[in-house]
């Protein structure tokens, strides 16, 4: 299917589901008159209405089908964003902001209208050294900011494994591998300059460390995925580079042991800066990709401490080693030098792309349109191993029963109870798609029943919308819609994303939560014993009963 045809399919689906306010078939939002107005305000060199730029902006890193915008605009300043928004507001043209397009939920895939690409607004505006804050434009990427900060002895402490824009990170409420010590974007943004749907520019807070006046507009504009406002500038916290850092790689016989070690490490309050878990399949994929010495194919933890000196870091790592050894950790690899640590963490960062190594497997199977589904669930830490285990079991049992090749790569930010399940599939094969979708939804249901959230850091985009009502409840969704209407009356900002279509009751494809049996502890020590109940998926229904829905 060509790109035009795929775009029509996507638009038709979103229109039918009530996300897009009118059918776009045969009708464009951008008339030559509106294009003329936009060219006048943005300049000919910053606007594209045909060619490869449209294609480039039709997709992100997710598995979702692409959809072409009608125009791509590269604003160069906050004022230019404001002028573009004023025109689009008056002409009711949808606007989908985008940064580096590394999103994994289709959040920046435009459903027609304008793709507003902030990547050329990528300047550091001012470093406030004494405040440990930096003022930047939203399109600056994480690595570019760190290249600027490093010579000043500083770094930006939110570290996704990708290289996204700071605006995109704030819009998604991103985090990453450094979260256990430094927090997520939500803890590290001081203030934002945002442009509202009608072009109004506001600053959400002054650059002070504390503030208790007015509503918290900063947090309202975070995690909103471009549906409430365009983030044009940010003031974020930065941190002095650690004087000492040391890393540790540990192998475990079981996920239970691995997870127990994570809980013990957290309790010990070590200066743990990174704590990442990989399941067996992920280790196998990494081995297939890496030219180095292969890792033992068992659940593995990668740890790092940041400390005030090299000695302190070495001491903390030794303490960590003692704790994980008590929990069954073995095969320790300690990395202290810069190069060794870089190699270790580059390996962890490669976990996502290593899954592509399973491609050959899919080619043998006869797959035609190989896509990679990447999920992102977060549960209270005590339920983390249970969710991973049940997910692995469900994948293995489903693969056996359906003969669909489903290699379940799980890796994640263990200390936050957040993991990703990454799997290749054949998008052309309707049955395979349905099998995978059902698996994914069972994982969401399980996660929600265990008190979790269907996204810890990737956001909702277009992928998680069916689960939002089950996670938040109808009243909270109604409030979100009221906020949306208040800020974006014409619903031009990123339509079809984050919020379920208004006035629709949960559909057949929505996720419903069914209560799960309680965890049974075998003993005080066996924190995660799950004996005494059937596999969780036997409790999860594809179609809920009327009673479950009413409850
Ligand atoms: C290999 C890989 C590893 C990853 N690892 C992590 C990880 O460890 N942690 C993590 O949190 N994420 C991770 N991600 C996901 C992704 O990098 C994040 O979601 C990131 O925040 C997206 O930023 P972006 O600039 O690429 O945004 P885009 O993909 O361009 O957009 C994402 C969403 O934000 C909105 N948006 C973008 N810019 C703005 C703006 N200026 N104003 C308003 N809305 C805006 C878009 O409309 C869209 O809804 C990973 C992705 C990949 C491919």
């Amino acid at each position: 299917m060509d790109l035009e045809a795929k775009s029509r399919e996507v638009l038709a689906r979103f229109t039918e589901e009530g996300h897009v306010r009118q059918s776009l078939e045969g009708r464009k939002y951008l008339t030559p008159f509106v294009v003329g107005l936009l060219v006048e305000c943005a300049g000919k060199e910053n606007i594209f209405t045909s060619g490869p730029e449209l294609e480039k902006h039709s997709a992100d890193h997710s598995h979702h089908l692409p959809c072409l915008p009608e125009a791509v605009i590269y604003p160069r300043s906050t004022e230019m964003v404001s002028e573009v928004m004023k025109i689009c507001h008056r002409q009711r043209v949808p606007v989908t902001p985008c940064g580096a397009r590394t999103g994994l939920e289709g959040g920046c895939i435009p459903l027609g209208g304008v793709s507003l690409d902030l990547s050329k607004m990528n300047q550091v505006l001012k470093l406030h050294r004494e405040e440990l804050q930096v003022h930047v434009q939203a399109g600056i990427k994480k690595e570019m900011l760190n290249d600027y900060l490093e010579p000043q002895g500083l770094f930006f402490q939110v570290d996704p494994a990708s290289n996204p824009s700071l605006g995109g990170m704030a819009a998604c409420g991103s985090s990453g591998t450094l979260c256990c010590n430094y927090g997520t974007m939500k803890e590290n943004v001081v203030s934002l300059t945002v442009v509202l749907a009608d072009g109004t520019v506001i600053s959400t807070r002054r650059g002070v460390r504390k503030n208790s006046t007015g509503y918290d507009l900063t947090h309202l504009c975070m995690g909103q995925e471009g549906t409430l406002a365009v983030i044009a500038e940010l003031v974020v916290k930065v941190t002095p580079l650690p004087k000492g850092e040391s890393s540790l790689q540990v192998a475990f016989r079981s996920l239970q042991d691995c997870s127990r070690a994570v809980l013990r490490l957290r309790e010990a309050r070590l200066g743990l800066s990174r704590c990442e878990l990989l399941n067996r399949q992920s280790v196998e994929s990494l081995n297939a990709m890496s030219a180095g010495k292969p890792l033992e194919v068992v659940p593995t933890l990668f740890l790092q401490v940041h400390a005030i000196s090299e000695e302190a870091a070495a001491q903390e790592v030794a303490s960590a080693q003692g704790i994980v050894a008590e929990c069954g950790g073995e095969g320790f690899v300690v990395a202290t030098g810069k190069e060794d640590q870089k190699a270790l963490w580059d390996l962890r960062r490669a976990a996502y792309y290593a899954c592509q190594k399973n491609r050959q497997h899919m080619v043998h199977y006869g797959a035609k349109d190989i896509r990679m589904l990447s999920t992102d669930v977060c549960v209270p830490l005590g339920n983390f191993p249970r969710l991973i285990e049940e997910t692995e079991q469900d994948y293995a049992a489903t693969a056996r029963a359906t003969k669909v090749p489903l290699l379940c790569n799980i890796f994640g930010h263990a200390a936050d109870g957040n993991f990703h399940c990454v799997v290749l599939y054949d998008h052309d094969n309707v049955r395979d798609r349905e099998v995978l979708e059902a698996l994914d939804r069972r994982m969401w249901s399980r996660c929600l029943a265990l008190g979790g959230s269907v996204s810890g850091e990737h956001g909702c985009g277009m992928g998680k919308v069916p689960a939002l009502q089950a996670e938040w409840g109808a009243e909270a969704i109604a409030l979100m819609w009221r906020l949306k209407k208040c800020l974006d009356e014409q619903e031009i900002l990123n339509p079809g994303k984050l919020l379920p279509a208004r006035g629709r009751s949960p559909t057949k494809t929505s996720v419903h939560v069914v209560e799960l049996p309680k965890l049974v502890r075998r003993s005080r020590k066996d924190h995660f014993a799950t004996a005494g109940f059937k596999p969780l998926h036997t409790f999860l229904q594809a179609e809920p009963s009327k009673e479950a829905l009413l409850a």
Side-chain angles (χ1 to χ4, degrees):
M1 219 195 307
D2 68 18
L3 195 47
E4 292 276 356
K6 280 181 185 160
S7 303
R8 275 197 300 276
E9 185 186 316
V10 173
L11 285 172
R13 178 161 66 82
F14 275 83
T15 309
E16 191 195 323
E17 289 176 4
H19 285 289
V20 175
R21 90 183 119 81
Q22 65 206 18
S23 168
L24 297 180
E25 216 134 347
R27 184 173 189 279
K28 302 232 173 211
Y29 288 108
L30 284 180
T31 58
F33 170 71
V34 182
V35 173
L37 293 177
L38 290 168
V39 168
E40 219 172 277
C41 103
K44 224 163 72 193
E45 63 287 9
N46 295 319
I47 175 163
F48 299 84
T49 51
S50 61
E53 282 289 342
L54 298 198
E55 196 170 320
K56 194 168 116 187
H57 287 79
S58 68
D60 60 3
H61 269 63
S62 72
H63 68 118
H64 295 290
L65 281 183
C67 189
L68 287 162
E70 289 163 53
V72 174
I73 301 180
Y74 288 98
R76 303 296 177 135
S77 65
T78 303
E79 295 67 39
M80 200 185 276
V81 174
S82 166
E83 291 308 312
V84 168
M85 288 313 300
K86 279 179 193 162
I87 294 169
C88 292
H89 178 71
R90 276 201 299 273
Q91 306 296 332
R92 298 191 72 189
V93 174
V95 176
T96 301
C98 85
R101 294 190 314 282
T102 66
L104 292 170
E105 289 299 347
C108 71
I109 297 178
L111 299 174
V114 169
S115 174
L116 190 69
D117 186 328
L118 284 100
S119 62
K120 295 198 170 146
M121 285 174 58
N122 59 6
Q123 299 301 303
V124 173
L125 297 174
K126 187 156 189 196
L127 174 65
H128 301 277
R129 188 77 178 69
E130 61 290 1
E131 293 297 332
L132 291 177
Q133 292 174 1
V134 66
H135 184 181
V136 294
Q137 287 184 308
I140 194 169
K141 289 189 186 175
K142 174 197 79 172
E143 284 172 14
M144 191 175 166
L145 177 59
N146 276 327
D147 287 347
Y148 166 83
L149 293 171
E150 199 181 343
Q152 328 267 347
L154 299 168
F155 75 110
F156 180 55
Q157 59 280 4
V158 185
D159 185 33
S162 49
N163 185 20
S165 70
L166 263 74
M169 288 170 71
C172 292
S174 288
S175 50
T177 61
L178 282 170
C179 183
C180 50
N181 209 14
Y182 298 99
T184 71
M185 261 327 251
K186 290 184 179 166
E187 284 82 45
N188 284 288
V189 169
V190 178
S191 104
L192 299 169
T193 301
V194 296
V195 181
L196 302 182
D198 64 2
T200 308
V201 180
I202 59 163
S203 168
T204 62
R205 202 185 128 168
R206 291 185 169 229
V208 285
R209 294 198 81 78
K210 283 166 72 178
N211 155 263
S212 71
T213 57
Y215 294 137
D216 189 348
L217 299 181
T218 311
H219 282 93
L220 180 65
C221 293
M222 298 198 42
Q224 45 93 13
E225 300 181 47
T227 62
L228 296 182
V230 182
I231 299 169
E233 297 167 30
L234 309 88
V235 177
V236 296
K237 297 177 190 170
V238 294
T239 304
L241 285 164
K243 296 245 167 14
E245 54 184 2
S246 194
S247 297
L248 182 64
Q249 179 191 312
V250 196
F252 290 88
R253 293 296 121 201
S254 72
L255 264 175
Q256 307 289 351
D257 288 347
C258 189
S259 308
R260 189 162 49 233
V262 173
L263 279 184
R264 289 279 313 280
L265 284 166
R266 277 188 58 123
E267 280 163 13
R269 293 179 62 89
L270 299 171
L272 212 58
S273 55
R274 290 184 159 104
C275 177
E276 299 287 305
L277 174 145
L278 289 93
N279 78 341
R280 286 188 179 83
Q281 179 57 52
S282 284
V283 173
E284 206 165 318
S285 302
L286 272 183
N287 282 346
M289 186 205 69
S290 150
K293 187 173 165 229
L295 310 180
E296 191 184 353
V297 182
V298 289
T300 301
L301 269 190
F302 285 12
L303 303 170
Q304 188 183 51
V305 293
H306 283 177
I308 50 164
S309 66
E310 293 295 353
E311 297 71 41
Q315 245 172 32
E316 299 256 294
V317 158
S319 306
Q321 201 167 332
I323 292 169
V324 292
E326 279 172 23
C327 300
E330 55 191 36
F332 298 103
V333 178
V334 179
T336 46
K338 239 188 156 103
E339 286 307 305
D340 287 351
Q341 291 198 67
K342 184 174 175 310
L344 194 146
W345 290 104
D346 281 351
L347 198 60
R348 160 59 188 95
R349 279 198 192 91
Y352 175 82
Y353 291 109
C355 304
Q356 293 278 9
K357 281 286 159 190
N358 305 321
R359 266 188 103 78
Q360 210 45 37
H361 193 72
M362 297 300 295
V363 173
H364 284 315
Y365 172 69
K368 301 214 169 49
D369 181 8
I370 304 172
R371 289 172 179 261
M372 193 148 84
L373 170 83
S374 172
T375 69
D376 166 42
V377 285
C378 192
V379 280
L381 206 48
N383 291 332
F384 185 62
R386 180 178 180 182
L387 186 60
I388 294 187
E389 255 186 27
E390 290 287 343
T391 303
E392 280 188 331
Q393 282 168 13
D394 200 3
Y395 266 81
T398 307
R400 273 197 306 276
T402 60
K403 306 274 182 283
V404 177
L406 294 162
L407 297 180
C408 169
N409 295 268
I410 289 182
F411 49 87
H413 316 302
D416 312 324
N418 178 203
F419 71 80
H420 310 303
C421 175
V422 181
V423 58
L424 293 181
Y425 72 101
D426 182 6
H427 191 85
D428 257 9
N429 187 324
V430 178
R431 178 179 158 263
D432 287 14
R433 242 166 42 204
E434 284 171 0
V435 166
L436 186 61
E437 193 169 290
L439 259 168
D440 198 24
R441 280 161 197 245
R442 287 200 292 275
M443 182 173 75
W444 295 354
S445 296
R446 242 179 257 133
C447 160
L448 292 171
L450 290 170
S453 166
V454 294
S455 179
E457 56 181 22
H458 294 167
C460 292
M462 46 171 73
K464 294 281 168 66
V465 174
L468 209 71
Q469 180 126 334
E471 179 168 332
W472 282 85
E475 291 78 12
I477 299 293
L479 175 61
M480 288 187 202
W481 260 114
R482 270 160 49 206
L483 285 167
K484 162 87 178 161
K485 285 298 280 184
C486 189
L487 291 174
D488 176 18
E489 204 195 339
Q490 317 262 33
E491 298 174 30
I492 58 167
L493 273 170
N494 210 358
K497 314 297 167 52
L498 198 151
L499 286 169
R502 241 168 350 137
R504 300 267 168 141
S505 23
T507 61
K508 239 162 90 177
T509 55
S510 300
V511 169
H512 305 274
V513 188
V514 180
E515 198 169 328
L516 300 180
K518 295 263 181 299
L519 282 172
V520 180
R521 286 195 188 188
R522 280 199 201 109
S523 69
R524 277 172 73 86
K525 258 193 138 185
D526 197 352
H527 205 81
F528 303 110
T530 51
F533 56 82
K534 294 186 232 170
L536 289 186
H537 60 263
T538 60
F539 292 90
L540 299 165
Q541 306 165 338
E543 282 283 330
S545 65
K546 206 170 160 201
E547 294 70 36
L549 262 180
L550 289 173

